[in-house]
Amino acid sequence: MNISEIPYKIYLEEDEIPKTWYNVRADMKEKPAPLIHPGTKEPLTFEEMQPIFCDELIKQELDDTTRDIPIPEEIQSFYRMYRPSPLIHAEFLERYLDTPAKIFYKFEGSNTSGSHKLNSAIAQAYYAKKQGLKGVTTETGAGQWGTALSMASAFFGIDCKVFMVKVSYEQKPFRREVMRTYGAEVTASPSMDTEVGKRINEENPGTTGSLGCAISEAVEVATKTEGYRYVLGSVLNQVLLHQSVIGIETKTACEKYGIKPDIIIGCAGGGSNLGGLISPFMGEKLRGEADYRLIAVEPASCPSFTRGKFAYDFADLGMVCPMAKMYTLGHGFIPSANHAGGLRYHGMSPVLSQLYHDGLIEAVAVEQTSVFEALTQFARAEGILPAPESGHAIRTAIDEALKCKETGEEKVIIFGLTGTGYFDMKAYEQYNDGKMSDHIPTDEELDKGLSGIPEI
Amino acid sequence: MNISEIPYKIYLEEDEIPKTWYNVRADMKEKPAPLIHPGTKEPLTFEEMQPIFCDELIKQELDDTTRDIPIPEEIQSFYRMYRPSPLIHAEFLERYLDTPAKIFYKFEGSNTSGSHKLNSAIAQAYYAKKQGLKGVTTETGAGQWGTALSMASAFFGIDCKVFMVKVSYEQKPFRREVMRTYGAEVTASPSMDTEVGKRINEENPGTTGSLGCAISEAVEVATKTEGYRYVLGSVLNQVLLHQSVIGIETKTACEKYGIKPDIIIGCAGGGSNLGGLISPFMGEKLRGEADYRLIAVEPASCPSFTRGKFAYDFADLGMVCPMAKMYTLGHGFIPSANHAGGLRYHGMSPVLSQLYHDGLIEAVAVEQTSVFEALTQFARAEGILPAPESGHAIRTAIDEALKCKETGEEKVIIFGLTGTGYFDMKAYEQYNDGKMSDHIPTDEELDKGLSGIPEI
């Protein structure tokens, strides 16, 4: 098929929404290392995880052999509300860049939560409901995950308690209000409602919070409240599993229209979007059926892949969570205050960490002013106002397309456009006013976090 | 076709995007009254309108006989970025209401401007560019129109100056920032940059502005600046013409899936969304081919149809614009300060005014707390967070669906979901906090505006 015959927006049919999730671990020869107990340093058992997580989600977390896992009917029904998401041929951006490259993006931002996070939120809320639970707790930073979980919880009629990183809570009152509109209870973190919150507040007076800290609070409330469990929007194996719907749809659309990607790009904070987008392509690569360049893009101010250490570390600042083997900047790492948007987690998905360690994916770090330059170019050319997080993938997609302009190569580039930026206009304002700055941590700054990674 | 076989979201194909606009005036026996010159009281000629409007748009404004007007290729190309918009079967809302009614909504909010306004903005920017103009001026209240025009102007590379009602400018800094991201220049109105702005500021110290006032300023700048014209996002015949894409797509989707609407509902401020949605259905009605109940829903705090007067009035507060025959509350009318969102214009589209006068459409007025109740129910059931404006249509759709529940009738209800509420969270917050109030103007309050309508 000639590229000009491909529609601008490729919408699949309703019956092409995936009916199974794809579990990339089944195809990995080197499996991601298991979560371990911080005390015993032994792999966590199903029973040990039960106080924290829903039963069915623990099964998914531990299952590294089943390749295709059926998506329950109720979740499929919810997916129909906003899926299939379109794969868009960025012809206006190509024209603007004057590149021979063919650029496509999978747009996950057209649902109300504004991002791909809803794909896993609805699954986690469903399993909580099915287990007869009363509610779930979680943390949110930029607010996308909290919004997604609020929507999902409202849909299944369960309670939702969100610990929102204090700086976001204050700077993004409208994000908070969306969550409240969906019935969630939103608390600024660190709060004085939890033991760990009190401790962190005492040890760090005036702290504006961090994801690692909010996680500690949410876990504490979940384990201490009857009928509650904790849910997490990224990093975990189960989350990457749910997010595989992004990649499966992308692959289906590619096959339907004869698009053969050379490069697939995604932004990476905890890794849920990137992991979901590349999973089925990675599967082909692992099985030796095809090859792709798969690129993780992270902020230069929070460079887990490119400057972190592959080691067991705590998932949270309060050290109440299990430990995961991952690329990490140390559980005490907090990105500099001028960092805009999400992608601020100190660690990275164990699945992606293993794949990166094995040389199966590449990683680059980009600076935020160059990200906002790309965001603005993209917005004006393609008409969509992206989230800052998504801008990292756009930046690298544009860089690769400009390389093609130099070499004359017609490479096919696909990137993940994870979400919209409607709640990030403060950062856009800074950029529009020429007041945005970059921060690349010095080696000394990074050492503070890295030196806190425990020796195991 | 059985209703269960209809997909949840009906997406048309790219080649089903309309290639012509439908001009409902061609089928009206009683044509809408022409715009007149405020001095001579004579119908405005093409030449008299030239200093204000683009030439091609004047032709469209005056043309009440050509039924189908071709959509230029460049506009069709832009429409592909976000059209066709989906017609969604509100099955989750039906289940929540437990109604036998079948509810569908045409969702125009998934583009970055967040509303249907882009349909006309792109057309108006295109004709300005084609005429070789340097830029356009406009006003914006809630901000949807200004955002749409900023996007459209960025796409065609022309300047865009937006006068934003001062209260919105201050309460919605993020809306303003979206416009700036698309390169627009945004000024709070009334400003001290124009003669009319200065006059209004002097006569009304501390005024927070109004649409009618911002229009006056935008028109002044357009007529005094070389290479500029004024563009308007609602009310005018040309705008309803462009917005007919909403109705044409809706009708195509209905025909494709055998959906026969009984009732079609839209919110009405200046009338662009309602006019666009109902146009092709109205055409059938005017030609005696089919019958539908067509309902305009307006805020009880700004009730142009239900409590206004059908008369010639000024389109703007400053009385620098042409006069239109329309349902009006008087050009001096300003809705009470507690009114949330758009739909705050004192007048109404002359086309819709004539149709309402001739008994071809119905109108209801609803109060805003009941609108926000409907918005919240809808958001939780259907997963989309709507704009307050759209909530008016939702309110009436729910009311009609609940009547069906009483009578057991399986009526088919279609309503227009014009946009998303991401920039209206202040109003949602008021509602969530139980602090939202209603204001139904007393007859005495309305008389102040009505008595200012000139005798012609």
Side-chain angles (χ1 to χ4, degrees):
Chain A
M1 184 177 284
N2 192 294
I3 201 87
S4 67
E5 294 165 41
I6 296 174
Y8 173 63
K9 273 181 304 191
I10 305 174
Y11 277 107
L12 301 175
E13 301 296 318
E14 203 164 276
D15 61 12
E16 290 172 302
I17 296 175
K19 292 174 185 62
T20 54
W21 290 303
Y22 168 65
N23 183 4
V24 70
R25 287 166 289 163
D27 282 313
M28 289 169 72
K29 273 170 221 105
E30 297 294 326
K31 306 286 184 191
L35 297 175
I36 60 171
H37 190 285
T40 65
K41 309 286 191 293
E42 292 295 318
L44 279 176
T45 62
F46 181 86
E47 290 72 21
E48 284 171 321
M49 289 198 230
Q50 273 190 311
I52 307 181
F53 299 121
C54 303
D55 293 357
E56 193 61 32
L57 292 168
I58 302 172
K59 283 185 204 156
Q60 294 180 355
E61 191 64 28
L62 295 172
D63 184 349
D64 58 12
T65 54
T66 311
R67 189 185 279 181
D68 299 300
I69 295 179
I71 303 174
E73 187 61 48
E74 292 89 337
I75 298 175
Q76 286 189 44
S77 162
F78 188 88
Y79 277 167
R80 278 193 297 135
M81 276 199 194
Y82 67 101
R83 309 203 67 84
S85 72
L87 181 69
I88 304 178
H89 177 200
E91 53 185 74
F92 299 99
L93 181 64
E94 288 170 12
R95 208 176 301 161
Y96 172 81
L97 298 173
D98 190 22
T99 173
K102 301 301 167 201
I103 311 174
F104 296 84
Y105 55 97
K106 179 72 170 168
F107 181 41
E108 290 288 318
S110 61
N111 71 78
T112 284
S113 82
S115 83
H116 66 292
K117 296 282 185 182
L118 200 50
N119 300 329
S120 183
I122 193 60
Q124 299 197 44
Y126 166 77
Y127 289 119
K129 175 74 177 182
K130 208 181 153 207
Q131 196 175 322
L133 297 175
K134 194 169 174 307
V136 288
T137 72
T138 198
E139 76 296 325
T140 200
Q144 294 176 336
W145 168 247
T147 311
L149 191 68
S150 304
M151 290 177 65
S153 300
F155 189 77
F156 284 122
I158 59 171
D159 292 347
C160 178
K161 291 181 195 290
V162 180
F163 286 89
M164 187 171 186
V165 176
K166 192 178 275 177
V167 60
S168 279
Y169 184 91
E170 284 162 3
Q171 286 182 359
K172 294 188 167 185
F174 297 161
R175 263 284 181 213
R176 184 185 73 209
E177 220 47 56
V178 179
M179 294 185 244
R180 288 184 67 210
T181 299
Y182 284 93
E185 181 190 310
V186 188
T187 307
S189 167
S191 74
M192 296 302 277
D193 297 355
T194 65
E195 294 309 314
V196 66
K198 280 180 209 161
R199 176 157 61 83
I200 291 170
N201 267 318
E202 276 160 28
E203 288 171 7
N204 311 273
T207 177
T208 54
S210 71
L211 265 186
C213 161
I215 293 174
S216 302
E217 291 206 275
V219 170
E220 183 182 317
V221 170
T223 50
K224 287 186 177 171
T225 315
E226 180 70 29
Y228 274 74
R229 292 293 185 284
Y230 168 71
V231 296
L232 181 65
S234 192
V235 183
L236 295 176
N237 302 334
Q238 57 185 270
V239 179
L240 264 72
L241 175 72
H242 306 147
Q243 294 296 357
S244 67
V245 293
I246 306 172
I248 297 169
E249 282 184 8
T250 304
K251 204 153 170 295
T252 304
C254 285
E255 283 161 7
K256 200 164 168 176
Y257 287 93
I259 301 161
K260 294 196 199 321
D262 297 296
I263 308 174
I264 303 173
I265 300 167
C267 61
S272 75
N273 148 68
L274 178 73
L277 175 64
I278 65 172
S279 273
F281 298 96
M282 179 59 82
E284 287 188 299
K285 193 165 169 167
L286 289 164
R287 297 190 302 269
E289 296 164 8
D291 198 16
Y292 306 98
R293 279 186 66 201
L294 304 170
I295 309 178
V297 191
E298 58 185 16
S301 55
C302 189
S304 335
F305 267 143
T306 52
R307 297 176 70 194
K309 198 172 145 187
F310 188 41
Y312 266 108
D313 193 9
F314 290 97
D316 65 325
L317 180 62
M319 299 183 285
V320 302
C321 282
M323 299 177 76
K325 190 171 178 191
M326 57 187 177
Y327 279 85
T328 175
L329 297 162
H331 58 275
F333 177 83
I334 295 178
S336 75
N338 72 353
H339 174 95
L343 310 182
R344 45 173 71 238
Y345 187 61
H346 67 273
M348 183 56 71
S349 143
V351 169
L352 292 180
S353 293
Q354 187 63 49
L355 292 168
Y356 180 63
H357 184 70
D358 295 340
L360 291 157
I361 53 181
E362 306 167 33
V364 292
V366 294
E367 293 172 44
Q368 72 177 356
T369 49
S370 76
V371 166
F372 274 81
E373 183 196 24
L375 285 165
T376 305
Q377 286 174 348
F378 181 87
R380 293 186 186 184
E382 287 288 319
I384 294 172
L385 187 82
E389 296 82 1
S390 319
H392 291 72
I394 299 172
R395 174 73 271 164
T396 298
I398 289 179
D399 290 344
E400 292 292 335
L402 292 176
K403 281 184 208 162
C404 289
K405 189 175 176 176
E406 276 179 33
T407 61
E409 287 172 291
E410 285 194 22
K411 284 189 182 162
V412 175
I413 301 168
I414 295 181
F415 70 90
L417 193 78
T418 53
T420 47
Y422 306 128
F423 294 98
D424 298 284
M425 295 319 296
K426 201 82 199 162
Y428 273 96
E429 184 178 21
Q430 274 193 328
Y431 178 75
N432 292 338
D433 289 342
K435 290 181 182 159
M436 177 165 280
S437 59
D438 292 315
H439 180 75
I440 304 177
T442 62
D443 287 342
E444 289 69 36
E445 283 171 320
L446 280 191
D447 275 346
K448 282 184 212 160
L450 292 169
S451 63
I453 300 171
E455 298 276 343
I456 290 184
Chain B
M1 184 178 287
N2 193 294
I3 200 88
S4 65
E5 295 164 40
I6 297 174
Y8 172 64
K9 273 182 305 194
I10 304 174
Y11 276 108
L12 302 175
E13 302 296 319
E14 203 164 276
D15 61 12
E16 290 172 302
I17 296 175
K19 291 173 187 62
T20 55
W21 290 304
Y22 168 66
N23 183 5
V24 71
R25 286 166 289 163
D27 282 313
M28 289 169 72
K29 272 170 222 105
E30 297 294 326
K31 306 286 184 192
L35 297 176
I36 60 171
H37 189 286
T40 65
K41 309 286 190 294
E42 290 297 317
L44 278 176
T45 62
F46 182 86
E47 290 72 22
E48 285 171 320
M49 289 198 229
Q50 273 189 312
I52 307 181
F53 299 121
C54 303
D55 293 356
E56 193 61 33
L57 293 168
I58 303 173
K59 284 186 204 155
Q60 294 180 355
E61 191 64 27
L62 294 172
D63 183 349
D64 59 11
T65 53
T66 312
R67 189 184 279 183
D68 298 300
I69 295 178
I71 304 175
E73 187 61 48
E74 292 88 336
I75 298 175
Q76 286 189 44
S77 162
F78 187 88
Y79 278 167
R80 280 194 295 136
M81 277 200 193
Y82 66 101
R83 306 204 69 83
S85 73
L87 181 69
I88 304 179
H89 177 202
E91 54 184 73
F92 299 99
L93 181 64
E94 288 170 12
R95 208 176 302 161
Y96 172 81
L97 298 172
D98 190 22
T99 173
K102 301 299 168 202
I103 311 173
F104 296 83
Y105 54 98
K106 179 72 170 168
F107 180 41
E108 291 287 319
S110 60
N111 71 77
T112 284
S113 81
S115 83
H116 66 291
K117 296 282 185 180
L118 200 50
N119 300 329
S120 183
I122 193 63
Q124 299 197 43
Y126 166 76
Y127 289 119
K129 174 75 177 180
K130 208 180 152 208
Q131 196 176 322
L133 296 176
K134 193 169 174 305
V136 289
T137 71
T138 199
E139 76 296 325
T140 200
Q144 293 176 336
W145 168 246
T147 311
L149 191 66
S150 304
M151 288 176 66
S153 300
F155 189 77
F156 284 123
I158 58 172
D159 291 348
C160 178
K161 291 181 195 288
V162 181
F163 285 89
M164 187 171 185
V165 176
K166 192 177 274 175
V167 59
S168 279
Y169 183 91
E170 284 161 4
Q171 287 181 0
K172 294 188 167 185
F174 296 161
R175 262 285 182 212
R176 185 183 72 208
E177 220 47 55
V178 179
M179 293 184 246
R180 287 185 67 211
T181 298
Y182 283 94
E185 181 189 311
V186 188
T187 307
S189 167
S191 74
M192 296 303 276
D193 297 354
T194 65
E195 294 309 315
V196 67
K198 281 180 208 160
R199 175 158 61 83
I200 292 169
N201 267 318
E202 275 160 29
E203 287 169 8
N204 311 271
T207 177
T208 54
S210 72
L211 265 185
C213 161
I215 292 174
S216 302
E217 291 205 276
V219 170
E220 183 183 317
V221 171
T223 50
K224 287 187 178 171
T225 315
E226 179 70 28
Y228 274 73
R229 292 295 185 282
Y230 167 71
V231 297
L232 181 65
S234 192
V235 183
L236 295 176
N237 301 335
Q238 58 186 269
V239 180
L240 264 73
L241 175 71
H242 306 148
Q243 295 296 356
S244 68
V245 293
I246 307 172
I248 297 169
E249 282 183 8
T250 304
K251 202 151 172 296
T252 305
C254 285
E255 283 161 8
K256 199 165 168 177
Y257 287 93
I259 301 162
K260 294 197 200 316
D262 298 296
I263 309 174
I264 303 174
I265 301 167
C267 61
S272 74
N273 150 67
L274 177 73
L277 174 64
I278 66 173
S279 273
F281 299 97
M282 178 60 81
E284 288 187 300
K285 193 164 167 167
L286 288 164
R287 297 190 301 269
E289 297 163 6
D291 197 17
Y292 307 98
R293 278 185 67 199
L294 304 170
I295 309 178
V297 191
E298 58 185 17
S301 55
C302 189
S304 337
F305 267 143
T306 52
R307 298 176 70 194
K309 198 172 144 186
F310 188 43
Y312 266 108
D313 193 9
F314 291 97
D316 64 325
L317 180 61
M319 300 183 284
V320 302
C321 282
M323 300 179 76
K325 190 173 181 191
M326 56 184 177
Y327 279 85
T328 174
L329 296 163
H331 58 276
F333 177 84
I334 294 179
S336 75
N338 73 351
H339 174 94
L343 310 182
R344 44 175 70 238
Y345 187 61
H346 66 273
M348 184 58 71
S349 143
V351 170
L352 292 181
S353 293
Q354 188 62 50
L355 293 167
Y356 180 65
H357 184 70
D358 294 340
L360 291 158
I361 54 181
E362 305 168 33
V364 292
V366 294
E367 293 171 45
Q368 71 176 359
T369 48
S370 76
V371 166
F372 274 80
E373 182 196 26
L375 285 165
T376 305
Q377 286 173 349
F378 181 87
R380 293 187 186 183
E382 287 288 320
I384 293 172
L385 187 83
E389 297 83 2
S390 320
H392 292 72
I394 299 173
R395 174 73 271 164
T396 298
I398 289 178
D399 290 345
E400 291 293 334
L402 292 176
K403 282 184 207 161
C404 289
K405 188 175 176 176
E406 276 180 33
T407 61
E409 287 173 291
E410 286 194 21
K411 284 191 183 161
V412 175
I413 301 168
I414 294 181
F415 70 89
L417 193 77
T418 53
T420 47
Y422 305 128
F423 294 98
D424 299 283
M425 296 318 298
K426 202 82 201 162
Y428 273 95
E429 184 178 21
Q430 274 192 329
Y431 179 75
N432 291 339
D433 288 342
K435 289 181 181 159
M436 179 166 278
S437 58
D438 292 316
H439 180 74
I440 305 179
T442 62
D443 288 341
E444 290 68 35
E445 283 171 320
L446 280 190
D447 276 345
K448 281 184 214 161
L450 292 169
S451 63
I453 300 171
E455 298 277 343
I456 291 185

